[in-house]
Amino acid sequence: MASHLEIELEKLKNVIVKINNLAENQVFEAVGILLSEPLSDKKQVKKTENKIDKLEVKIEDICQSIFALQQPVASDLRFIMSAMQISNEIERIGDLAMSMIKLNKNINSKYELVTKFNIEEIGREVEKIVIKTNVCFQNLDAEAIGEIYILNNSIKQKATAAVQNIIDDIKTNSKSIVSGMNLIMVLRNIERMGEHCTNIAESVYFMINAKVIKHEKHTDKNAEEE
Amino acid sequence: MDTIEKTEENIFFSSNNKKSDLKGTLIVGSTLASVILIIAVLFLIIGIIVYNGWQTFSWEFVSAFPTDGMTKGGIFPAIIGTFILVIVMSIAAVPFGTITAIYLTEYAKENSIFATAVRFSVRTLAVVPSIIFGLFGLGFFIQFIGSGMDTAFNAGELHWGQPNILWASLTMALLTLPVVIVSVEEALKTVPRELREASLALGATKWQTIKKVVLPGSVSGIMTGTILAVSRGAGEVAPILFTGAAYYLATLPKSVSDQFMNLGYHIYIMSTQSSDVEKTMPIQFATTLVLLILTISLNVIAVIIRSRIRSKKL
Amino acid sequence: MKDIKIEVKDLSLYYGEKKALNDISMLIPSNKVTALIGPSGCGKSTFLRSINRMNDLIPSVKITGQMLVEGVDIYDKNVDVVNIRKKIGMVFQKSNPFPKSIYENIAYGPKINGMKNKTDLDEIVETSLRQAAIWEEVKDRLFDSAMGLSGGQQQRLCIARTLAVSPDIVLMDEPASALDPISTSKIEELVHELKEQYTIIIVTHNMQQAARTSDFTAFFYLGELIEIDKTKTIFTKPSKKQTEDYITGRFG
């Protein structure tokens, strides 16, 4: 029969999966709005945001409880340390998604801009990276870590290119400055989402291999993973 | 591989310890020598008895009555008498002694004056010379209680107011009571306090705890105490001198109000007061041999019972 | 007040002139594990033994105040202490099985209470041994001596023996302190399972054990109750500085 500690760890894992799923949904909503897909209930989005915040607090509480009462060691210890970091990152992703949704209001004639600068591709990629990150954590999938890095690099490249294009466009067509600026901010948000996903991947790596790979050059990491 | 250099500095090789070791060896050695001496003397005594008594020792000797003024025949009645004495004595001493010991170890409060008085009495009783028990038996059991019983039940006719098995056994019981009490006390004390606590914590009363945990755990001690007491009872003579032992009886005793013959008493009378001491010499040795065999067997049985009970527990 | 099993009101205990417990007041909840922690000599074991009146065995002990178990003061003159101990069982620090067979050890309590029927006894023995998570290990040697079991097994046997009389409350005085880590964790798991049926109060000098196993924790120091609260609170944000100092290892 499962020990007290195992029950608590299982509980923790379930909550993280929950918050992951909620954040995932927020990202889908945000990308959907960006690409002019029909918007689901705005109230629902706000509700989800609140839920995410609450869950983050709950995760911290559970972690504190386990630390104080169960003296976890080895892989359990790494799991809980990672759990705290991951929930933090997830919460930021949720925030970024909300921010994206708000920025959308100020992007006029979106459709043209979006198609002009190939935003859809970036949007799909960020959806992908978020899904992959979720899976990576749930299955402790080491291979997925490498794929997440690759996706992140791709997102960065594409976003940087798109931003440059938008800036050039603004220079020639000053009327589009408001929409353009907001779109640039949206793209920045997307980039940061990608970064948060790689952070989560690093935490998963720590869980698996007990090695901290933060702040190391990510390109090197790719080579190691493959 | 290099061997360790035997230098003066290497403490492994220092010889300071040998000096104190020598002292220890001397002490142990002299103790050993004394023990060997004692055992040698013991074997000497036993040897003399066996050597001299063996010739007269036979089945007939053990089963026949004495004849010709104790110069021939057997000592059967003395053996029976000794047995009866010991049995009645045990019936009197063991239960009473056990209960007293239980009171002293389990029920007596630490500062109880009564318990202190009881303990003091027991210790004192243990060192009273056995002849005094004999005199007490005569004065109290025979002349006071016995006569009183005759006055009350037999209209003055002399029946209980004279020496017999009952009074002799009770007198002997008084003598061996301290032995029983102390042995049982010691046995009860060996039962660890934790077991008593465990029983009480399960909702048992004090008496239930004693009955089911303490007594079973101290049975070997109780047995030992009993057998030691019996052993003493078989050998002591002074208490029964005036209270019931006789030199010669034609028949075996039929009830506790009869007199009886006794091995120890028999040897005493034969060697000091018989009509022809020289002629009874072989019988004296043989009787001594029988008494010795009896006593040793009892002690051996005690040891065996104790070790069997111990091994059952483990 | 079904949630509270024991209410302690201003309980003080004296060994002769010396005051060992000073005006203890606390509430002990039902069907939970309450741990008593504190440095050596702080009175936690003395307090525990007051609950089933084992301190009565020490002649110089005097108790003032009240110990209400389900509303009844167990120190009341009219209360039969033997009956209290049938309702409040105790497991000791050093396991103390009787030198009898395993079966006889467990059956001891029920037999004392008058149970004679062999089938009933068999059933209680099996149930108790199962509850103590030791049935599988001993079911084929019920009539072997209990002294042949290992330390951890003996302690679980003692727990089974205590459960056999169906108490409401089980007191444990450092039950795992003499055991190896694996036996200790088995006992801890057992405590966790048992609380569904029993109210458990456990004294431990091992804080981590208290943290792992209990729902409520009471901190004792020099005969006084310093703080009692949910275990999680005690170990994350205790209210008294003394508690914090003890838990963080700054003293004691």
Side-chain angles (χ1 to χ4, degrees):
Chain A
M1 91 123 219
S3 74
H4 205 174
L5 173 59
E6 279 163 22
I7 296 173
E8 292 295 300
L9 291 175
E10 192 62 31
K11 194 162 101 183
L12 181 60
K13 184 169 177 194
N14 289 339
V15 179
I16 296 179
V17 167
K18 231 172 160 179
I19 200 179
N20 253 332
N21 290 341
L22 290 176
E24 219 178 80
N25 285 342
Q26 292 291 71
V27 172
F28 291 163
E29 291 297 328
V31 172
I33 296 170
L34 181 64
L35 303 177
S36 299
E37 285 154 21
L39 168 66
S40 53
D41 195 357
K42 225 184 185 171
K43 282 199 196 137
Q44 184 63 40
V45 163
K46 188 70 189 143
K47 260 198 198 159
T48 310
E49 159 88 359
N50 290 339
K51 266 198 209 160
I52 290 179
D53 287 342
K54 280 210 185 108
L55 285 180
E56 197 215 351
V57 171
K58 186 172 176 186
I59 288 172
E60 269 194 29
D61 189 63
I62 296 177
C63 290
Q64 186 194 47
S65 184
I66 298 180
F67 275 133
L69 303 182
Q70 303 288 340
Q71 303 96 41
V73 291
S75 57
D76 295 336
L77 177 64
R78 296 197 299 274
F79 170 55
I80 298 168
M81 284 172 69
S82 308
M84 290 179 70
Q85 289 166 340
I86 290 173
S87 84
N88 210 279
E89 305 285 342
I90 297 279
E91 195 264 338
R92 303 260 181 84
I93 292 178
D95 274 350
L96 289 168
M98 270 307 281
S99 157
M100 269 172 71
I101 295 172
K102 287 185 191 150
L103 286 168
N104 261 301
K105 278 187 278 187
N106 300 320
I107 304 179
N108 296 324
S109 52
K110 224 180 351 171
Y111 188 70
E112 289 102 49
L113 289 174
V114 162
T115 36
K116 202 169 172 185
F117 304 113
N118 206 6
I119 306 295
E120 178 167 357
E121 218 184 312
I122 305 176
R124 296 297 172 217
E125 279 205 335
V126 83
E127 280 179 343
K128 250 205 222 162
I129 199 177
V130 166
I131 295 174
K132 206 157 252 304
T133 310
N134 200 350
V135 166
C136 177
F137 167 76
Q138 280 197 44
N139 304 338
L140 289 184
D141 186 353
E143 272 183 35
I145 296 175
E147 292 162 25
I148 290 170
Y149 276 115
I150 295 174
L151 273 172
N152 186 42
N153 284 341
S154 167
I155 291 174
K156 270 204 297 207
Q157 270 176 348
K158 296 198 172 88
T160 312
V163 166
Q164 191 56 51
N165 289 340
I166 297 171
I167 292 177
D168 292 339
D169 188 79
I170 292 173
K171 283 188 191 152
T172 55
N173 181 8
S174 59
K175 258 200 256 171
S176 66
I177 190 168
V178 173
S179 305
M181 291 303 294
N182 280 294
L183 190 54
I184 289 175
M185 288 197 270
V186 164
L187 286 171
R188 289 292 181 225
N189 277 5
I190 290 179
E191 268 184 285
R192 281 157 68 189
M193 277 188 198
E195 288 298 324
H196 286 307
C197 286
T198 54
N199 288 346
I200 294 176
E202 279 160 10
S203 287
V204 175
Y205 186 82
F206 173 62
M207 272 168 66
I208 302 173
N209 297 322
K211 210 169 143 208
V212 176
I213 52 171
K214 285 190 232 194
H215 316 305
E216 286 176 32
K217 293 279 182 236
H218 288 175
T219 40
D220 291 344
K221 234 353 90 223
N222 284 344
E224 235 188 77
E225 285 309 320
E226 254 84 40
Chain B
M1 189 178 101
D2 296 336
T3 53
I4 299 174
E5 284 266 334
K6 186 175 176 181
T7 61
E8 281 186 36
E9 289 108 47
N10 194 324
I11 57 164
F12 287 175
F13 297 106
S14 79
S15 57
N16 281 335
N17 297 327
K18 291 213 177 121
K19 269 196 211 144
S20 58
D21 221 36
L22 188 64
K23 237 198 239 169
T25 316
L26 276 176
I27 294 176
V28 172
S30 54
T31 314
L32 211 59
S34 318
V35 170
I36 292 176
L37 190 64
I38 294 171
I39 294 180
V41 168
L42 182 67
F43 270 99
L44 195 64
I45 296 175
I46 294 181
I48 294 177
I49 295 175
V50 171
Y51 179 67
N52 286 307
W54 187 247
Q55 295 144 2
T56 329
F57 189 78
S58 69
W59 176 246
E60 223 187 68
F61 181 68
V62 166
S63 56
F65 272 72
T67 55
D68 298 333
M70 303 304 160
T71 53
K72 285 207 228 27
I75 52 161
F76 182 61
I79 296 177
I80 296 293
T82 309
F83 262 104
I84 297 177
L85 172 74
V86 154
I87 288 173
V88 180
M89 174 201 82
S90 303
I91 295 174
V94 172
F96 188 52
T98 306
I99 293 175
T100 310
I102 292 177
Y103 164 73
L104 286 176
T105 42
E106 306 291 327
Y107 285 94
K109 295 202 170 54
E110 263 178 42
N111 43 16
S112 152
I113 300 175
F114 182 65
T116 317
V118 170
R119 282 206 186 91
F120 179 72
S121 312
V122 170
R123 304 296 188 256
T124 312
L125 213 61
V127 297
V128 166
S130 45
I131 187 73
I132 304 222
F133 282 102
L135 290 169
F136 176 78
L138 178 65
F140 182 69
F141 286 128
I142 295 179
Q143 291 175 346
F144 182 65
I145 295 194
S147 300
M149 280 167 77
D150 285 339
T151 323
F153 302 128
N154 295 341
E157 198 190 309
L158 189 63
H159 182 66
W160 290 105
Q162 52 191 350
N164 59 31
I165 294 178
L166 180 64
W167 304 135
S169 302
L170 287 178
T171 310
M172 199 61 97
L174 284 178
L175 178 78
T176 56
L177 198 61
V179 174
V180 174
I181 292 176
V182 170
S183 310
V184 175
E185 248 193 301
E186 290 304 308
L188 292 174
K189 281 186 191 155
T190 60
V191 176
R193 201 190 62 166
E194 293 92 59
L195 290 185
R196 290 186 181 79
E197 279 193 339
S199 172
L200 292 172
L202 288 167
T205 61
K206 196 166 194 171
W207 174 245
Q208 283 174 321
T209 304
I210 292 173
K211 193 171 103 169
K212 289 173 162 260
V213 173
V214 179
L215 281 180
S218 48
V219 156
S220 68
I222 295 175
M223 294 256 86
T224 311
T226 311
I227 293 175
L228 281 177
V230 163
S231 188
R232 251 193 104 177
E236 284 277 351
V237 173
I240 55 174
L241 281 177
F242 334 110
T243 51
Y247 186 43
Y248 178 71
L249 295 169
T251 55
L252 293 176
K254 292 187 189 65
S255 82
V256 293
S257 54
D258 290 338
Q259 285 189 310
F260 64 103
M261 286 172 70
N262 178 278
L263 287 169
Y265 185 70
H266 207 70
I267 297 170
Y268 165 62
I269 298 293
M270 263 198 300
S271 54
T272 55
Q273 297 169 26
S274 71
S275 40
D276 191 337
V277 178
E278 278 301 315
K279 278 230 178 105
T280 58
M281 196 74 100
I283 301 202
Q284 283 175 48
F285 273 111
T287 313
T288 313
L289 181 61
V290 169
L291 187 57
L292 206 61
I293 292 176
L294 193 67
T295 323
I296 292 181
S297 319
L298 280 173
N299 278 295
V300 167
I301 292 174
V303 171
I304 293 178
I305 291 181
R306 199 160 36 156
S307 69
R308 282 185 77 189
I309 291 180
R310 277 220 195 110
S311 62
K312 254 191 220 161
K313 278 196 206 154
L314 297 166
Chain C
M1 263 233 290
K2 260 221 166 140
D3 300 327
I4 301 296
K5 196 75 177 179
I6 303 178
E7 185 180 348
V8 187
K9 282 186 176 167
D10 299 318
L11 188 89
S12 292
L13 185 146
Y14 299 82
Y15 285 120
E17 292 299 318
K18 179 166 165 244
K19 199 174 197 184
L21 291 177
N22 195 354
D23 289 329
I24 310 281
S25 293
M26 63 197 263
L27 298 173
I28 295 179
S30 308
N31 295 106
K32 297 273 185 244
V33 180
T34 302
L36 310 180
I37 62 171
S40 300
C42 64
K44 52 192 195 289
S45 282
T46 308
F47 176 71
L48 191 78
R49 292 166 75 96
S50 308
I51 301 178
N52 67 345
R53 289 183 61 171
M54 285 304 274
N55 284 325
D56 287 9
L57 299 179
I58 303 170
S60 60
V61 160
K62 195 181 81 166
I63 295 207
T64 61
Q66 291 182 308
M67 172 89 66
L68 302 168
V69 177
E70 286 180 356
V72 176
D73 183 11
I74 60 171
Y75 282 96
D76 189 274
K77 275 190 272 254
N78 300 323
V79 164
D80 184 358
V81 67
V82 169
N83 288 337
I84 288 175
R85 298 195 187 124
K86 294 190 203 203
K87 213 169 141 97
I88 307 179
M90 181 174 251
V91 176
F92 297 84
Q93 185 171 353
K94 190 169 168 305
S95 58
N96 50 8
F98 300 127
K100 299 175 195 272
S101 69
I102 293 171
Y103 185 94
E104 282 304 316
N105 263 280
I106 311 292
Y108 185 84
K111 275 191 184 171
I112 295 269
N113 290 332
M115 189 178 284
K116 291 199 180 77
N117 183 300
K118 187 170 186 306
T119 328
D120 291 339
L121 284 170
D122 286 351
E123 202 183 304
I124 284 219
V125 168
E126 183 175 335
T127 311
S128 308
L129 289 170
R130 277 190 195 279
Q131 278 193 311
I134 192 178
W135 171 252
E136 293 298 321
E137 290 166 64
V138 300
K139 66 181 181 196
D140 297 323
R141 45 176 172 144
L142 288 176
F143 295 96
D144 287 356
S145 169
M147 311 307 281
L149 297 174
S150 75
Q153 289 173 319
Q154 280 188 6
Q155 191 63 306
R156 277 180 285 150
L157 179 76
C158 291
I159 294 175
R161 183 177 65 181
T162 306
L163 298 179
V165 293
S166 305
D168 292 339
I169 302 170
V170 179
L171 308 175
M172 298 195 177
D173 194 350
E174 306 203 31
S177 66
L179 302 177
D180 60 276
I182 302 237
S183 303
T184 300
S185 73
K186 279 197 185 146
I187 303 254
E188 286 178 13
E189 282 311 310
L190 193 54
V191 167
H192 196 64
E193 286 169 38
L194 289 175
K195 74 177 178 193
E196 289 194 29
Q197 247 191 299
Y198 308 93
T199 300
I200 300 185
I201 305 173
I202 175 170
V203 163
T204 176
H205 63 261
N206 180 340
M207 275 190 288
Q208 284 74 38
Q209 182 175 84
R212 284 192 297 266
T213 57
S214 66
D215 302 298
F216 290 84
T217 300
F219 172 55
F220 280 75
Y221 183 62
L222 292 180
E224 295 202 10
L225 174 67
I226 306 294
E227 190 177 344
I228 177 170
D229 208 331
K230 287 209 177 96
T231 299
K232 185 168 163 188
T233 311
I234 294 272
F235 283 93
T236 52
K237 43 180 173 358
S239 348
K240 300 265 163 59
K241 185 169 188 307
Q242 268 177 305
T243 316
E244 169 126 6
D245 285 346
Y246 178 68
I247 288 182
T248 54
R250 296 237 182 345
F251 89 89

